[in-house]
Amino acid sequence: MASLSLKHIFKVYDGNVKAVNDFCMDIEDNEFIVFVGPSGCGKSTTLRMIAGLEEITAGELRIDNEIVNDFEPKDRNIAMVFQNYALYPHMSVYENMAFSLRTAHMPNDQIHEKVMEAANILGITEYLERKPKALSGGQRQRVALGRAIVRQPKVFLLDEPLSNLDAKLRAAMRSEISRLHERLGTTFIYVTHDQVEAMTMGSRIVVMRDGFVQQIDTPINLYKYPDNVFVAGFIGTPQMNFFDGVVSKKGDDVCFALDCGTNIDMKYVQADKIPVKYMDGEHRIVFGIRPDDIRIHNDKNYDDGSWAPAKAVVSVVEVLGGETLIYANLNLDTPDAEEGAIIIKADPDSFVRRGDVIDIEISRRKFHVFDKETERSIRRRIPEENIIVADIVGNKLSFEGQSFSIPSAVKCSNATAAEISMPISGLTLGSGNGEAKVQWIESIDGKTLYFLKVGELTLFSLENGEARFKVGDSVAFDIDFTKVAIESLGIKPLCLTNTLDGVFTKEKDKSRKFYHFYMNIGEDKLIPTDSICEKVFACKGNKIFHTPLEYIFEAKDATVGPHTDGARGVITGKVIEMLDYGHTRYAVIDVHGQKLTAAYNGNAGDEVDVSVPSNAITIKDKSIDIIIV
Ligand code: ADP
């Protein structure tokens, strides 16, 4: 039983092959985690780093809160099961399972007890005297599991353990491994390229591609709320249908015009999580709909307005017994073309033939929309932005009968119909000049998402914890102007993440017996903790002294005070500008030719010291673009 924490884990193989990039994840005790993705995406490398079979280039791996980067595999209390079983051919099943316990000098009677217990769990007591070559693939894999079980590891790592088995046996072993996980109550991490295996076994799944984590979530959330086109296409069989097109909004009506000629229309409330800026009829989007979320029209179908009509021409019908897959095309002139191709999962008694033109219905609830260029979802479960079209006169911003004072830090000229955007965290509830009506509430992973009606607009706000307001309530709201962007007026959100160039240095102590280490920014020296020193040396060795670095920290972690001569471990600088945001004043501080921003109640021209706890600083190796601490 163990928890694991992977923080900014990178693996760079010789020749600068970046196999794993910035892998971050906390795994709780007793979870069943699956790493899934196409071949070469970095799944095995990540697993092997956890096992200790592969060195971690940068990042921190903890098992039960202990940093284990430098632990030998045998000291990590982890057992790994491989695809090729890795059994000793000359030993019996019993001896294969007993082997690791014998090398650990366990007394014979205890070994016997453990081997018999594992053999019982796995149903292989009959084969204990056989050699591996006299076993089937499934039996060998059970022995490999048994060899792992006897060691009672804290974590089980399984690397494509079923890929050598035929389909039927694979399905049986899948449920056997899930039961084993329940029975052992241990943390499992399982690697596979098979999304069905991932979906059926994982309590959470990590989808990887080209060395990058694409999404980490429960199987159902990956299916319902894929973050990007890749995850949407990878999870689910048959694959999600994708169509290029544009979307536009006229009053309360929204229409997706797909390139294949089909229009899918709906009411704005059905699409209101999509940022309005995409609804201009120009932004290229990808409309996604799963085969399960399309049905064939039937007069008896119940419809509360959740289904959009369309037509398709059938090219292939696959009758699978329990269901029928219909391969069709939305473009009625080109049944076999790629553009417009659509797969529909229909009832087994649907009676359609090649060449038929059928009336279909596309769910207005369960569709997906992605930005064509970034391939990221723009109909996210938690919307990212609020977009408001507002008028600005003097220091007043107004829209939909609401009016807000613009703080002096936001220097904008008068404008009509300026597009204001802000992350949804920029709209706060409970106080402020604005008034909204709560239209809808969703509870998502311990957070509350409010849909707020403000005049004609739907805006969003997200809070931690349970809902404080009910549907129908009138609530006051405010705008956090540090987060506001007005592109047409050149207004950017205040950047509260500071990034400063620097280096890592050493100086001999006066006694000349040992070194002091420093994180240098210009002439200033911050003092690293022992743990920071350990990490930079583990990662870079003595090369650290010749590596250009970036020191990155949040403004909230910086404290600004008056300059004191001789103060140690602080960044010295001069305030070049004060930014007044009403609730907080920020200083832009020149530090040896670079700029940093932090909260401060003083004046431009002040000489100041900025202190930042060194453990709040992230260190990036600029030469290879990797976070090392
Ligand atoms: P997966 O398990 O997802 O198939 P791997 O973790 O095995 O992927 O590999 C990830 C990437 O790292 C691939 O591009 C692979 O070619 C590369 N790679 C794996 N092992 C090595 C190695 N020892 N040396 C160099 N490159 C490697």
Side-chain angles (χ1 to χ4, degrees):
M1 300 218 288
S3 59
L4 285 91
S5 144
L6 294 95
K7 258 202 205 142
H8 302 299
I9 299 271
F10 286 82
K11 177 69 191 183
V12 186
Y13 284 114
D14 289 346
N16 209 11
V17 179
K18 280 192 187 171
V20 178
N21 294 276
D22 206 7
F23 194 117
C24 294
M25 183 177 190
D26 287 319
I27 299 175
E28 281 173 36
D29 189 18
N30 200 17
E31 277 201 275
F32 195 132
I33 299 295
V34 179
F35 295 168
V36 70
S39 181
C41 69
K43 310 179 290 289
S44 298
T45 301
T46 310
L47 198 73
R48 292 169 61 81
M49 285 193 284
I50 297 172
L53 301 173
E54 204 69 72
E55 205 176 304
I56 297 172
T57 309
E60 185 182 276
L61 171 67
R62 286 172 187 261
I63 299 178
D64 273 347
N65 228 358
E66 185 170 28
I67 299 176
V68 298
N69 287 46
D70 297 328
F71 282 28
E72 290 292 318
K74 66 177 172 45
D75 299 329
R76 296 188 183 195
N77 209 346
I78 272 176
M80 186 143 166
V81 179
F82 298 91
Q83 175 181 351
N84 58 9
Y85 322 130
L87 301 178
Y88 300 111
H90 59 285
M91 288 184 195
S92 67
V93 166
Y94 186 100
E95 283 308 319
N96 260 290
M97 287 165 66
F99 184 76
S100 64
L101 306 180
R102 291 209 197 287
T103 52
H105 307 294
M106 187 181 273
N108 274 338
D109 53 340
Q110 281 182 32
I111 292 180
H112 185 69
E113 197 179 305
K114 287 197 186 299
V115 170
M116 293 313 289
E117 191 186 342
N120 255 328
I121 292 175
L122 295 162
I124 50 173
T125 43
E126 293 164 48
Y127 316 120
L128 288 173
E129 294 315 314
R130 286 197 201 170
K131 296 270 169 59
K133 70 171 184 303
L135 298 176
S136 70
Q139 290 161 345
R140 282 183 212 173
Q141 197 48 277
R142 283 197 189 93
V143 179
L145 287 167
R147 211 170 40 172
I149 293 173
V150 293
R151 293 177 43 203
Q152 296 183 312
K154 282 189 189 175
V155 186
F156 268 81
L157 305 180
L158 301 102
D159 193 357
E160 306 239 9
L162 306 184
S163 53
N164 285 348
L165 307 180
D166 64 51
K168 199 165 157 214
L169 195 53
R170 249 198 339 253
M173 284 297 285
R174 263 200 327 249
S175 50
E176 217 164 281
I177 291 178
S178 296
R179 276 202 302 276
L180 187 65
H181 170 249
E182 265 171 42
R183 177 155 182 176
L184 297 177
T186 311
T187 312
F188 273 44
I189 306 178
Y190 187 104
V191 161
T192 178
H193 61 271
D194 178 348
Q195 61 99 8
V196 176
E197 227 165 85
M199 291 294 278
T200 50
M201 300 173 86
S203 52
R204 279 194 301 156
I205 300 175
V206 181
V207 184
M208 297 181 73
R209 180 197 198 184
D210 295 340
F212 288 89
V213 171
Q214 302 289 303
Q215 191 171 351
I216 302 179
D217 218 326
T218 58
I220 193 68
N221 282 349
L222 287 179
Y223 184 84
K224 284 167 79 171
Y225 313 107
D227 272 353
N228 57 39
V229 170
F230 177 78
V231 175
F234 193 79
I235 299 290
T237 35
Q239 215 198 25
M240 185 185 287
N241 299 292
F242 296 111
F243 305 97
D244 288 356
V246 293
V247 50
S248 49
K249 176 177 184 290
K250 281 202 188 75
D252 199 25
D253 294 312
V254 169
C255 179
F256 292 87
L258 310 184
D259 292 354
C260 59
T262 297
N263 286 344
I264 297 168
D265 48 36
M266 59 187 68
K267 292 287 168 210
Y268 173 57
V269 286
Q270 293 169 309
D272 60 6
K273 279 189 179 174
I274 302 172
V276 182
K277 70 174 179 196
Y278 283 97
M279 301 188 179
D280 59 357
E282 282 181 21
H283 264 91
R284 299 294 296 161
I285 57 107
V286 180
F287 183 89
I289 185 84
R290 294 200 184 274
D292 313 60
D293 299 325
I294 308 166
R295 65 185 190 184
I296 296 179
H297 173 75
N298 179 333
D299 286 339
K300 293 191 209 108
N301 280 350
Y302 172 73
D303 186 3
D304 59 355
S306 301
W307 296 90
K311 281 186 188 301
V313 56
V314 176
S315 60
V316 175
V317 180
E318 271 181 13
V319 179
L320 301 175
E323 67 201 21
T324 295
L325 294 182
I326 299 170
Y327 294 77
N329 202 296
L330 294 176
N331 185 338
L332 305 185
D333 300 328
T334 58
D336 297 315
E338 215 167 281
E339 189 174 271
I342 187 163
I343 304 176
I344 302 151
K345 207 185 254 185
D347 282 341
D349 48 0
S350 308
F351 188 70
V352 294
R353 281 173 311 198
R354 176 174 172 81
D356 285 356
V357 172
I358 52 175
D359 286 309
I360 58 170
E361 293 174 338
I362 292 175
S363 173
R364 289 178 174 132
R365 289 181 197 274
K366 297 185 181 171
F367 65 95
H368 304 259
V369 189
F370 307 92
D371 180 312
K372 169 79 181 157
E373 198 181 312
T374 63
E375 301 202 337
R376 277 165 53 79
S377 172
I378 51 172
R379 189 179 188 234
R380 303 180 83 80
R381 193 174 184 200
I382 299 177
E384 291 186 331
E385 285 184 315
N386 283 312
I387 309 232
I388 298 165
V389 176
D391 294 328
I392 297 166
V393 179
N395 73 339
K396 287 275 180 247
L397 178 143
S398 42
F399 62 96
E400 302 287 347
Q402 315 282 324
S403 176
F404 293 87
S405 296
I406 303 172
S408 66
V410 182
K411 297 178 190 71
C412 49
S413 47
N414 290 350
T416 45
E419 189 179 282
I420 321 275
S421 63
M422 60 183 150
I424 66 168
S425 62
L427 196 155
T428 53
L429 297 181
S431 64
N433 249 0
E435 193 176 324
K437 195 155 209 154
V438 178
Q439 190 179 22
W440 188 245
I441 293 173
E442 269 179 38
S443 168
I444 303 173
D445 298 337
K447 300 189 175 99
T448 302
L449 176 68
Y450 292 98
F451 293 57
L452 303 162
K453 195 86 186 148
V454 182
E456 289 294 300
L457 274 180
T458 299
L459 298 177
F460 297 94
S461 180
L462 186 71
E463 290 187 346
N464 285 327
E466 297 199 352
R468 293 194 286 152
F469 308 103
K470 305 187 299 296
V471 171
D473 281 359
S474 281
V475 289
F477 74 92
D478 209 350
I479 291 176
D480 179 353
F481 276 89
T482 60
K483 296 183 174 166
V484 161
I486 313 174
E487 210 178 296
S488 61
L489 302 180
I491 306 291
K492 294 202 170 92
L494 180 65
C495 178
L496 292 172
T497 301
N498 292 298
T499 303
L500 298 174
D501 288 340
V503 287
F504 201 83
T505 56
K506 61 179 175 182
E507 272 173 33
K508 260 206 173 123
D509 180 65
K510 281 205 188 82
S511 68
R512 307 195 68 77
K513 287 206 182 105
F514 56 90
Y515 285 107
H516 292 293
F517 299 109
Y518 297 108
M519 297 152 67
N520 296 53
I521 296 167
E523 295 128 42
D524 295 324
K525 299 176 196 161
L526 304 189
I527 300 163
T529 59
D530 289 349
S531 139
I532 293 175
C533 292
E534 272 168 33
K535 284 183 204 163
V536 296
F537 288 118
C539 187
K540 299 291 294 183
N542 276 330
K543 281 195 206 140
I544 189 67
F545 302 117
H546 310 284
T547 304
L549 301 173
E550 265 173 12
Y551 294 111
I552 304 165
F553 56 90
E554 298 302 318
K556 69 175 171 44
D557 293 319
T559 314
V560 185
H563 176 63
T564 321
D565 280 337
R568 277 169 50 81
V570 296
I571 309 170
T572 57
K574 184 172 182 175
V575 177
I576 46 179
E577 191 182 2
M578 282 303 302
L579 301 172
D580 190 344
Y581 280 95
H583 54 81
T584 316
R585 296 176 74 218
Y586 289 91
V588 180
I589 302 165
D590 174 87
V591 288
H592 317 290
Q594 306 191 68
K595 277 188 200 162
L596 80 75
T597 306
Y600 177 58
N601 243 334
N603 299 304
D606 289 357
E607 304 274 349
V608 291
D609 288 345
V610 183
S611 52
V612 188
S614 47
N615 57 12
I617 300 178
T618 299
I619 306 178
K620 191 180 207 176
D621 175 343
K622 273 181 82 175
S623 65
I624 49 173
D625 207 16
I626 276 182
I627 292 165
I628 54 177
V629 176

